[in-house]
């Protein structure tokens, strides 16, 4: 029943995911800032939540514009990385880089965890060598319990020396065809209201009670809008994973808040190949031999996990493309007719008929992401006004926090820590990102 | 409480009188190969095709009783396999079970799972569809995944037959995915597991993975197709973690807006019961509010003889919190996680022995308790999130059960 109230919001998604995105033939890449020197400003601003709320934030921004999360810093292994921080806030701010060693600071004033940029235009500069590839995060080391909640957190990706655009680490076990970021966080708006009102004395973490949950700084369905959507000027990053059957999708998962989140991938298992920027290796050079399969991964605060997700549709027991012979033959007659296979199709299921009869349209409720057909790349009839978000007949799978409370936006379902992953027919070009 | 109960007592007879008058059975349409009378079982002259299993579930509402005696309104599933179509509505209405009926199938079986939506008798203002989501199904197709935004869900008085070629062995779980936060908090959660094909090897088959000298004997059971007998077990018990927020359920019954943001569980449970109900080996006495239909049939009592390997198939469908379970006095050997054998890509077993397992919603673990040398007696399986050893305000309850070694 409740979904009716948010249905009006979902059309935004189709426009974004399907029409406005920029087709790129190359692998799906993670949006972010590249280079060796990054000029960040700690600055205040607001973000939007999908229920229409506007929340006061502190964030790291490029060019002085607040964004949540901070820019994803993408650097090369071995690079000497410099991050210059200018503080526009009225409290001291800093950055710590968990997982990086030998971080040195120039300027600023000493703080408890890191050298800090003093309030009101103070500066500090950090330098480190990105010695190990992998997925990391960075966040404020100044009153972090408040400042990370306020938004001073971001992702750091170190690309490996070997095949930096197609591997996460210097081993083929980390090879990927597309990669996506899953920076997970939660939020208690009461904290933000008090900070915005300048009533710091009312900020009380003993009553911390999050009611918003985010992937890459957006609450669903905004997660599925395009990156850099103009109506989300301070939330540039989306989360709209797409793939073809057989692709290897790299998931870079980051716990960027204070709670653990059980992140579930519908469609198939994923295989954790690395944690906190280190391959799960039994010995040097062994690759991800200690990798762990999971259908739900606990994403831990301050920690990262890299996983490879694949999907082939094999062993369904029916032909997922719905092949029939030229005269509608199914089963052996279809096989005998020599219907060609799709790329990577599971041969044993080729031409196997669909196993059941689907009920009539009046007996079903149809999802907005349903094509009307059970087959990949096919469309079927739908009642007027139903479906519509799946123009190529892809398979959508919800990827979400399985703490189901967290797929809401402050009392409104659905939303929060949720996105839809899309598997398209091999002949359909994927949009990016 | 009392006025609500009076209303129920007045409404229920009306509903019972009204519903059989509806053209109810038309859309109870079970698809089950070889079954010609629509009851999802085979009776001569019907012939069961090889390697095929049929299950018929209904989805609707009902009532359960918490361990402190509190009545809870809920949504849930009920097993009507074997029920003639014209009797499904009658059997399925108000028959929601918590935990949902356990689904156990063999690897490679063709599973035809029919779901009939019998409606919400206590909330006739709702028209919610339902689904079955086989959580963790590998290489799933959207059509049978039960996630309603990406596929189809079943309206009231309709039946959808899901088909699965039962994939890899292991401990999965199932739940309704429609308005998931609500329907899952309301109780549409159950155990689901797939037993390994290795169980059915010919007697005397050697299992030589990594130099093992293990020889399979007919009757042996294994959690996975391990190739070395290392996941052998004698007896298995599904243990599902979940919890209710009684405020959420009460507001639902009172037709009030639902508190998603304020959701906070106060009845932690295993298999739909709080301690000490968890150790009752029998179905709990059903409440009169659901026409005395059995609604809590899954016991969590683990009984075994000494010198046995006991497999706990632990899963969590908690909608809010992570929970840690411990077994006092018996080491816990974890051999599987999320329906996958713990094994390195080079074939090394990565099993580990521990005394606690932590699971968030949607996670599972296969834990073997080796009772060899363990003194007969009663041992406890309970959450170390200690505030959850309670049934709301009643202490000495909640997420705990007993392991009795004879």
């Amino acid at each position: 029943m409740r979904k009716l109230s948010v249905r009006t919001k979902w059309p935004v998604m189709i426009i974004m995911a399907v029409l406005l995105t920029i087709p790129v033939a190359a692998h799906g890449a993670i949006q972010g800032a590249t280079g060796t020197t990054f000029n960040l400003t700690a600055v205040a601003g607001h973000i939007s939540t999908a229920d229409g709320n506007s929340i006061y934030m502190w964030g790291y921004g490029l060019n002085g514009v607040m964004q949540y999360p901070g820019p994803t810093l993408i650097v090369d292994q071995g690079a000497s990385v410099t991050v210059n921080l200018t503080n526009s806030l009225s409290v001291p701010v800093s950055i710590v880089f968990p997982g990086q060693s030998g971080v040195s600071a120039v300027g600023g004033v000493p703080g408890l965890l890191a050298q800090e940029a003093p309030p009101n235009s103070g500066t500090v500069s950090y330098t480190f060598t990105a010695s190990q590839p992998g997925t990391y995060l960075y966040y404020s080391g100044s009153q972090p319990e408040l400042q990370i909640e306020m938004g001073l957190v971001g992702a750091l990706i170190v690309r490996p020396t070997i095949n930096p655009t197609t591997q996460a680490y210097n081993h083929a076990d980390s090879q990927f065809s597309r990669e996506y970021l899953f920076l997970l966080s939660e939020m208690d708006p009461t904290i933000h209201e008090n900070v915005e009102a300048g009533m710091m004395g009312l900020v009380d973490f003993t009553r911390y009670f999050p009611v918003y949950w985010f992937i890459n700084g957006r609450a669903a369905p905004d997660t599925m809008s395009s990156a850099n959507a103009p109506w989300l000027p301070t939330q540039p990053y989306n989360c709209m994973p797409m793939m073809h059957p057989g692709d290897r999708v790299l998931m870079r998962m980051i716990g960027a808040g204070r709670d653990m989140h059980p992140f579930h991938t519908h469609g198939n298992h994923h295989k954790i190949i690395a944690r906190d920027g280190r391959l799960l290796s039994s010995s040097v050079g062994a690759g991800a031999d200690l990798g762990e399969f999971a259908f739900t991964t606990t994403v831990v605060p301050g920690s990262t996990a890299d996983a490879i997700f694949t999907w082939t549709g094999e062993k369904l027991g029916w032909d997922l493309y719905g092949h029939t012979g030229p005269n509608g033959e199914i089963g052996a007659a279809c096989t005998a007719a020599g219907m060609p296979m799709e790329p990577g199709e599971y041969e044993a299921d080729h031409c196997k008929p669909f196993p059941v009869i689907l009920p009539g349209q009046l007996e079903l409720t149809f999802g907005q992401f349903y094509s009307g057909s059970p087959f990949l790349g096919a469309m079927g009839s739908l009642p007027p006004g139903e479906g519509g978000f799946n123009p190529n007949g892809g398979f959508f799978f919800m990827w979400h926090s399985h703490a189901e409370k967290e797929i809401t936006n402050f009392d409104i379902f659905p939303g929060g820590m949720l996105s839809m992953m899309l598997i398209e027919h091999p002949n359909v070009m994927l949009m990016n990102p | 409480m009392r006025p609500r109960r009076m209303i129920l007592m007045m409404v229920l007879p009306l509903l019972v009188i009204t519903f059989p008058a509806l053209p109810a059975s038309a859309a109870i349409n079970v698809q089950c190969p070889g079954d010609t009378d629509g009851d999802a079982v085979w009776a001569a002259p019907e012939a069961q095709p090889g390697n095929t299993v049929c299950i018929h579930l209904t989805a609707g509402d009902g009532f359960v009783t918490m361990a402190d005696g509190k009545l809870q309104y809920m949504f849930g599933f009920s097993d009507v396999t074997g029920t003639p179509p014209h009797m499904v509505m009658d059997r399925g209405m108000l028959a929601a079970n918590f935990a949902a009926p356990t689904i156990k199938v063999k690897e490679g079986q063709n599973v035809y799972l029919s779901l009939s939506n019998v409606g919400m008798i206590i909330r006739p203002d709702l028209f919610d569809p339902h689904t079955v989501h086989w959580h963790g199904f590998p290489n799933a197709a959207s059509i049978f995944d039960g996630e309603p935004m990406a596929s189809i869900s079943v309206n009231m008085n309709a039946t959808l037959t899901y088909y699965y070629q039962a994939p890899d062995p292991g401990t999965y779980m199932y739940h309704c995915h429609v308005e998931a936060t609500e329907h899952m908090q309301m109780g549409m959660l159950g155990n689901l597991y797939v037993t390994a094909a290795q169980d059915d090897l010919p007697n005397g088959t050697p299992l030589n993975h990594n130099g093992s000298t293990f020889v399979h004997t007919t009757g042996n059971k294994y959690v996975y197709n391990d190739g070395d007998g290392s996941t052998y077990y004698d007896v298995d018990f599904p243990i599902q973690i979940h919890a209710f927020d009684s405020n959420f359920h009460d507001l639902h019954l009172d037709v009030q807006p639902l508190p998603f943001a304020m959701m906070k569980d106060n009845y932690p449970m295993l298999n739909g019961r709080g301690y000490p109900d968890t150790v009752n080996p029998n179905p709990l006495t059903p409440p009169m509010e659901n026409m005395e239909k059995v609604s809590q049939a899954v016991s969590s009592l683990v009984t075994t003889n000494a010198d046995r390997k006991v497999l706990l198939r632990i899963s969590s469908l908690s909608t809010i919190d992570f929970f840690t379970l411990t077994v006092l006095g018996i080491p816990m050997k974890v051999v599987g996680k999320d329906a996958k054998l713990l094994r390195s890509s080079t074939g090394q077993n990565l099993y580990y022995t521990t005394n606690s397992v932590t699971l968030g919603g949607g996670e599972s673990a296969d834990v073997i308790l080796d009772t060899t040398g363990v003194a007969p007696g009663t041992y406890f399986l309970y959450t170390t999130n200690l505030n959850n050893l309670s049934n709301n305000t009643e202490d000495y309850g909640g997420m705990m059960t007993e392991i009795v070694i004879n």
Side-chain angles (χ1 to χ4, degrees):
Chain A
M1 301 302 290
R2 209 153 288 96
K3 72 184 175 189
L4 292 174
S5 62
V6 286
R7 180 165 282 189
T8 50
K9 244 185 156 6
W10 293 88
V12 170
M13 202 294 305
I14 182 179
I15 297 168
M16 296 327 308
V18 177
L19 299 177
L20 289 186
T21 47
I22 305 157
V24 176
H27 63 92
I30 289 175
Q31 299 263 305
T34 56
T36 57
T37 302
F38 303 94
N39 299 311
L40 302 185
T41 306
V43 58
H46 289 80
I47 62 165
S48 299
T49 53
D51 60 344
N53 205 348
S54 175
I55 296 179
Y56 179 73
M57 302 288 291
W58 296 343
Y60 298 112
L62 295 165
N63 307 315
V65 178
M66 196 286 294
Q67 69 171 70
Y68 181 62
T72 298
L73 308 179
I74 303 174
V75 303
D76 295 328
Q77 182 182 5
S80 176
V81 178
T82 298
V83 179
N84 301 312
L85 175 63
T86 302
N87 184 5
S88 295
L89 301 173
S90 57
V91 293
V93 168
S94 60
I95 306 178
V96 293
F97 299 91
Q100 310 305 319
S101 49
V103 180
S104 63
V106 176
V109 298
L112 188 60
L113 298 180
Q115 197 80 357
E116 295 178 333
N120 307 315
S121 304
T123 61
V124 65
S125 180
Y126 307 96
T127 300
F128 61 91
T129 300
S131 58
Q132 298 280 342
T135 305
Y136 305 92
L137 74 168
Y138 68 92
Y139 50 78
S140 176
S142 305
Q143 204 181 356
E145 76 281 13
L146 173 66
Q147 294 196 358
I148 296 173
E149 163 73 19
M150 291 302 294
L152 290 160
V153 59
L156 168 66
I157 292 171
V158 181
R159 298 218 175 272
T161 310
I162 301 171
N163 297 330
T165 59
T166 57
Q167 285 182 199
Y169 294 87
N170 289 311
H171 192 282
D173 284 357
S174 65
Q175 187 273 328
F176 61 85
S177 23
R178 308 177 66 82
E179 62 171 339
Y180 295 94
L181 182 68
F182 300 84
L183 184 141
L184 309 184
S185 60
E186 63 283 327
M187 189 174 291
D188 177 352
T190 314
I191 306 275
H192 297 249
E193 289 162 12
N194 287 330
V195 171
E196 184 170 24
M199 296 187 290
M200 300 300 290
L202 293 182
V203 174
D204 179 3
F205 281 102
T206 65
R207 299 182 180 200
Y208 186 76
F209 196 80
V211 294
Y212 288 113
W213 292 270
F214 301 89
I215 304 176
N216 300 340
R218 293 186 185 180
D222 291 344
T223 46
M224 292 170 275
S225 296
S226 70
N228 303 307
W231 61 90
L232 295 167
T234 57
Q235 294 150 281
Y237 302 140
N238 69 344
C239 181
M240 184 70 217
M242 302 181 195
M243 65 182 291
H244 286 132
D247 279 357
R248 289 166 60 91
V249 171
L250 172 67
M251 308 169 64
R252 297 183 185 266
M253 294 178 275
I254 299 178
R258 64 184 56 209
D259 289 340
M260 299 196 292
H261 302 286
F263 198 72
H264 173 48
T265 53
H266 278 244
N268 207 358
H269 286 76
H270 50 272
K271 186 176 188 182
I272 306 286
I273 59 163
R275 292 185 187 277
D276 290 343
R278 296 294 184 278
L279 275 178
L280 297 178
S281 291
S282 61
S283 59
V284 175
D289 63 329
L290 301 182
E292 310 155 0
F293 283 99
F295 45 62
T296 306
T297 286
T298 297
V299 179
V300 180
S303 185
T304 73
D306 298 314
I308 298 287
F309 178 92
T310 59
W311 184 95
T312 60
E314 67 183 27
K315 299 181 184 174
L316 287 172
W318 49 278
D319 187 329
L320 80 104
Y321 296 100
H323 289 115
T324 59
N327 300 311
E329 301 95 331
I330 56 172
C334 163
T335 312
M339 292 306 295
M341 304 262 290
E342 308 297 331
E345 184 182 344
Y346 181 66
E347 189 167 3
D349 284 346
H350 186 58
C351 282
K352 275 193 188 169
F354 192 68
V356 298
I357 299 164
L358 296 176
Q361 291 188 342
L362 291 176
E363 301 185 61
L364 298 172
T365 297
F366 297 90
Q368 302 96 320
F369 300 88
Y370 180 54
S371 68
S373 164
F375 304 121
L376 185 60
M379 304 295 290
S381 67
L382 286 166
E386 301 291 343
F389 289 4
N390 187 357
N392 303 316
F395 282 2
F396 278 90
F397 291 100
M398 189 189 283
W399 285 11
H400 64 108
S401 169
H402 214 283
E404 303 282 333
K405 179 182 177 179
E406 299 175 352
I407 55 171
T408 60
N409 298 321
F410 208 164
D411 258 344
I412 296 176
F413 175 93
M417 198 176 283
L418 175 164
S419 191
M420 302 295 284
M421 188 272 293
L422 170 59
I423 299 173
E424 291 277 36
H425 187 283
N427 294 344
V428 175
M429 188 170 68
L430 298 177
M431 301 299 171
N432 195 39
Chain B
M1 195 63 206
R2 179 155 296 167
R4 183 187 305 152
R5 195 165 279 221
M6 282 179 59
I7 291 167
L8 284 173
M9 297 308 291
M10 289 158 58
V11 168
L12 283 177
L14 278 175
L15 290 167
V16 173
I17 293 163
T18 310
F19 266 78
L22 296 174
S25 62
I28 303 300
N29 178 28
V30 169
Q31 297 180 54
C32 174
D35 167 43
T36 55
D37 57 5
D39 62 1
V41 294
W42 299 274
E46 294 170 343
Q48 177 176 6
N51 211 26
T52 297
V53 59
C54 294
I55 302 166
H56 188 192
L57 299 181
T58 56
D61 59 355
F63 290 92
V64 286
T65 311
M66 300 293 97
D68 64 351
K70 180 174 172 58
L71 183 75
Q72 287 276 256
Y73 177 57
M74 67 166 295
F75 298 170
F77 297 101
S78 182
D79 186 359
V80 291
T81 308
T83 305
H86 70 279
M87 294 175 67
V88 165
M89 275 298 194
D90 186 42
R91 294 258 173 91
M93 284 190 303
L94 270 180
N97 273 234
F98 195 48
T102 299
I103 295 177
K104 173 186 175 183
V105 297
K106 282 185 178 183
E107 178 183 353
Q109 274 183 328
N110 300 301
V111 182
Y112 293 83
L113 194 165
S114 296
L115 176 70
S116 298
N117 183 345
V118 297
M120 312 291 201
I121 308 306
I122 302 298
R123 287 291 306 269
D125 58 316
L126 295 181
F127 300 87
D128 291 28
H130 293 293
T131 64
V132 169
H133 168 53
W134 179 323
H135 178 104
F137 191 92
N139 287 294
S142 300
I143 189 74
F144 296 134
D145 192 43
E147 197 286 295
M149 293 201 294
S151 61
I152 50 178
S153 42
V154 187
N155 291 344
M156 284 192 292
N157 199 28
T159 304
L160 170 64
T161 300
Y162 295 83
Y163 171 81
Y164 315 97
Q165 188 169 274
D168 310 333
T171 302
Y172 301 82
M173 59 206 87
Y174 79 101
H175 58 86
C176 176
H177 216 298
V178 174
E179 294 168 353
T181 312
E182 174 188 352
H183 285 209
M184 291 175 65
Q185 167 63 232
M186 288 303 288
M188 306 191 79
L189 319 168
N191 291 290
L192 189 166
Y193 57 96
V194 179
T195 57
Q198 188 173 296
D199 296 357
D200 296 328
L201 287 175
N203 191 42
T205 306
L207 299 174
N208 293 333
H209 173 75
N210 259 4
S212 154
T213 57
F214 195 94
V215 176
H216 172 76
T217 304
T218 297
N220 280 4
K221 291 179 286 189
Y222 313 90
V223 195
Y224 293 95
N225 299 309
D226 53 42
D228 59 5
S230 59
T231 63
Y232 173 94
Y233 67 91
D234 293 293
V235 58
D236 60 343
F237 295 88
I239 300 283
Q240 190 164 88
I241 295 167
H242 36 222
F244 274 179
D245 171 5
S246 62
N247 182 48
F248 193 96
H249 291 245
D250 288 348
L251 289 169
H252 219 306
L253 184 57
D254 291 343
V255 200
Q256 296 300 304
L258 297 175
F260 288 103
M262 297 305 293
M263 189 190 289
K264 193 172 187 308
D265 289 332
N266 56 349
Y267 283 99
M269 285 176 272
L270 296 173
N271 293 336
R273 306 179 188 179
Y275 186 81
D277 287 348
T278 46
V279 300
N280 185 337
N282 303 310
L284 299 190
T285 305
M288 62 178 171
E289 283 80 359
N290 70 353
M291 318 294 294
E292 299 187 347
K293 292 178 177 176
V294 168
S295 56
Q296 288 160 288
V298 187
S299 172
S300 298
L301 177 65
V302 176
T303 52
T304 179
N305 294 328
D307 305 329
R308 291 287 190 275
K309 286 187 171 161
V310 179
L311 169 62
L312 302 180
R313 299 180 176 274
I314 306 174
S315 61
S316 173
L317 281 173
S318 163
T319 49
I320 307 176
D321 296 313
F322 283 80
F323 288 100
T324 301
L325 294 185
T326 189
V327 175
L328 204 55
I330 310 172
M332 307 168 76
K333 183 177 172 185
V334 182
V335 301
K337 175 78 178 35
D338 287 4
K340 288 282 188 181
L341 180 68
L342 289 181
R343 181 168 283 177
S344 77
S345 57
T346 57
Q348 299 298 313
N349 293 335
L350 302 178
Y351 313 152
Y352 60 95
T353 300
T354 180
N355 64 356
S356 72
V357 169
T358 300
L359 297 178
E363 298 181 339
S364 74
D366 300 297
V367 175
I368 292 177
L369 308 177
D370 187 350
T371 62
T372 304
V374 176
T378 298
Y379 297 81
F380 288 87
L381 165 67
Y382 61 96
T383 181
T384 52
N385 306 95
L386 299 172
N387 54 316
N388 292 287
L389 293 174
S390 60
N391 304 309
N392 195 9
T393 57
E394 178 187 88
D395 209 347
Y396 302 104
M399 195 175 289
M400 178 159 73
T401 188
E402 295 172 3
I403 299 167
V404 177
I405 299 179
N406 298 314

